[in-house]
Amino acid sequence: MKFHKIPINYLCLIVCILSFSFFNTNLSLAGIIDSPWPCKGHDVQHTGQSPYTGSQTNTVKWSCLVEGSVKSSPAIGKNGVIYLASDMQTDNIVFALNQDGMVQWTYNIKIGVMGSIVSSPAVSSEGTIFIGSGDFNLYALNPDGTLKWTYPTESWIASSPVISDEGDIYFGSGYKVYGLYSGGSLKWGYETGGIIHSSPAIGSDGTIYIGSCDGKLYALNHEDGSLCWAYPAGDKILSSPAVGADGTIYFGNGGYGLSGRLYALYPDGSLKWSYQTGGNVYSSPAVASDGTIYAGNSNADSAYGANQGNQVFAVNPGDGSVKWAYPVGDGDENSIFSSPAIGSDGTVYIGCDNGKVYALTSDGGLKWSYQTQGEVSSSPAIGSDGTVYIGSCDGKIYAFGPVTITVYPGLNTICIPLGAEETYPNASSLWNQFINQNHEIIKIQAFSSNFSKWLTFGQPSPGTIIGEDFSLTGGMTILVYTNQTEIKDIDLTFAQNQPAPPVQSLPEFSPGLNLINLPSYLFGGDNNSQTSEEKWPESQDLWQRFEQEKNKPISFMSLNSQQGKWQSKYPFFGRLAGSESNIGKRGYLVFME
């Protein structure tokens, strides 16, 4: 075999290329993650268009109390994990939630009096979570919630980051637009003439579009940050731009009064059309798959000539003419800062400062609404199973969608999630739901917080209801016995029910299997009620109470009612597993001699 000599200059070139590839930390192939909703606005163009059909009803699948005000909008990462942030005055907290509403991890950002967090996360293909904060830093967090790096800016970051195909991160802070490499070093910076609340969108050619409070929309070269063009809209631009399939850029503006407009610009920066909305456009427009533009307006009052007050409106992409407008009410208390999310069936989801989440049909009719207890400036996200996620200033993130379970042969435990009191049925309805879906359930047992005992529904021959027909509530546990093979996606969506009253003492027990199940009332009922911490002891104290007050148990198991699985099993007397956690959010099984 004959070998050819490689010239030394070629060898040097190859070594240099390989060295650059291995050691240049700014080189990255990591763009945005392929997930149902990886960033605010769904994609880097901020279209807000989901490929999935969102929830068709206002059924609360679960709600998670994260405390503080949730103005940040959720993003969805790998395995359906939901990321968002809350503002607790002196702390900004980034949360990762599982699809069942359980908190996977939190990251605490101590901000003192610097400012709240309104920035929304973006997730890279590597799973890194990027988010801005009131402490002037952009944070990069690992998928496990540990800190990867921070980049300090000169001002509060209200802008939400966006990730390019190359893995570079773009956002605004203060007067400046920043471009960072994936490793956290500065790529470039561009200074505008005003403070930036707007979040950048990326065009198909990589151009960065962003608005500023100097009244201009900027188009910047993604490679060096140089100015391509700037369009003078006149009034402040807090809205974030969206880019249509044909490259048209849509955004809104408005400061004070009724000057707000929705704009459409050609990719070269010239005006295509504008629409006078009668109020300020803080909501960022969304672009449906058929090209229709959706947004909302704020500070509009019908008493001052603003048509019907604040509205969610739909606009034709060709000429800016209005398709329809849905009124939500006059004045500041009905302002719309939330931005629309669009389901694959054309349903438009959006929040409002009146505390409501709206689902509107593609022709402008009301499909459903849900009243939270705080302003909803967060924007919705749609999961792959159609669940609609959104935050509220009442300190909760809500998940709207059908409640389904999978039942396996033998004994099954259904743990009704907290914050879903409106979802679950009474006992006979639950039984009938199983029967109507042709599931061969041979027995259903549900623990009643009202009576502190098990009630049984059904005999070995299905269809017979036994016991009092009480309502099921969040935090309750149901045992289902079936002789059938695996049953997937059983629908458990029902009408509204009331929370159960508090339990003041330990229930009575009988030989065999017994359950202590703490009612949802303890987690967020009447403000005058005691909390679970005031009523229930630590786990070791509970064990000692059994020794003092009851027969000695032969086994003691801990159930996390939000995860729906048993956490510890010790089949001999006197052994207690796990940490010394308060049992306010748990149930316990006790086997008595």
Side-chain angles (χ1 to χ4, degrees), residues 37 41 47-48 283-286 294-296 312 338-342 348-350 379-380:
W37 203 275
T47 64
S283 172
S284 301
Y294 299 99
V312 182
S338 177
S339 301
I342 310 167
V348 180
Y349 303 91
I350 194 168
S379 301

Side-chain angles (χ1 to χ4, degrees), residues 397-444:
I397 178 171
Y398 291 86
F400 298 97
V403 180
T404 61
I405 61 166
T406 298
V407 172
Y408 302 93
L411 174 63
N412 297 265
T413 303
I414 306 172
C415 294
I416 301 177
L418 303 177
E421 288 79 6
E422 300 177 1
T423 300
Y424 288 87
N426 56 34
S428 59
S429 297
L430 177 67
W431 177 267
N432 291 332
Q433 183 76 354
F434 279 107
I435 298 303
N436 291 338
Q437 296 181 53
N438 298 316
H439 301 320
E440 297 179 5
I441 308 301
I442 61 173
K443 183 184 288 187
I444 295 180

